[in-house]
Amino acid sequence: MTGFYGEHSKVWVSVDCIIFGFDHDKLKLLIGKRQMDPGRGEWSLYGGFVAPDESLEDAAYRVLLNLTGLKKIYMKQVGAFGAIDRDPGERVISVAYCALINVNDYDAHLQEEHGVQWVSLDELPRLYSDHNEMVRKAITLLRRRINTEPLSFNLLPSLFTLTQLQHVYEAILGEEIDKRNFRKRIKQIDFIEKTELIDKTTSKRGAALYRFNKRAYSEDSTFKL
């Protein structure tokens, strides 16, 4: 460290991760009880302070890896939160990141180790500091991007039904979608491929299983649902 800027006050910089999953047709958030003061025992997002040798993005990926054990997670910056009194402990500026994971990919042992749990958005409790505001802004970001980016596939298993895909869209948008129009549009998208496999968990007849073709998507620059 140099001696520059010594006449200026210092602030702490942290990252908070807003981790969404999709389970039982609902969009869920991964939260836990805060393990430090101030706010010990309050419901909170999972985060951490940025180390001197880390970029903001590196710090967020480190936090996500530590919590979930997963790599190559979809992650986008939501924004910075710097109200003077947002943290009663010190002057802390937090940069929030939104992440999407498949609930079934998350190791239950890690979930238990970190004391976190999935909570439906419609049952979300009051969170520490401004974390509820972070969640609201993250949902707004997802709603703006869902029709121009293949976000849904980060929340689904590698093979999925069109009903599951529609339910993800509805969970993020917070509204019902016309089934016929939705399927008509989906079947016009080249990178959503129908397989020969059938899911028979919901009915005897079963439903066709689809998959996301990343290569086809990378070649398609006109996606809009």
Side-chain angles (χ1 to χ4, degrees), residues 68-88:
T68 68
L70 301 174
K71 298 180 180 180
K72 297 182 179 180
I73 293 176
Y74 173 90
M75 184 184 79
K76 292 290 183 182
Q77 187 180 119
V78 174
F81 296 78
I84 296 173
D85 58 350
R86 64 172 302 275
D87 191 306

Side-chain angles (χ1 to χ4, degrees), residues 116-171:
V116 293
Q117 59 184 272
W118 292 106
V119 177
S120 298
L121 291 184
D122 55 6
E123 299 176 350
L124 193 64
R126 170 64 185 163
L127 302 178
Y128 175 75
S129 185
D130 51 7
H131 290 188
N132 287 88
E133 182 184 354
M134 292 180 181
V135 174
R136 286 192 292 271
K137 289 193 175 182
I139 294 171
T140 298
L141 180 147
L142 293 181
R143 288 175 177 171
R144 288 174 178 170
R145 292 175 176 265
I146 192 170
N147 289 327
T148 56
E149 294 183 25
L151 304 182
S152 302
F153 308 109
N154 298 285
L155 298 165
L156 290 168
S158 57
L159 295 173
F160 52 86
T161 67
L162 291 186
T163 297
Q164 288 175 313
L165 181 59
Q166 180 176 336
H167 286 166
V168 170
Y169 272 82
E170 291 175 334

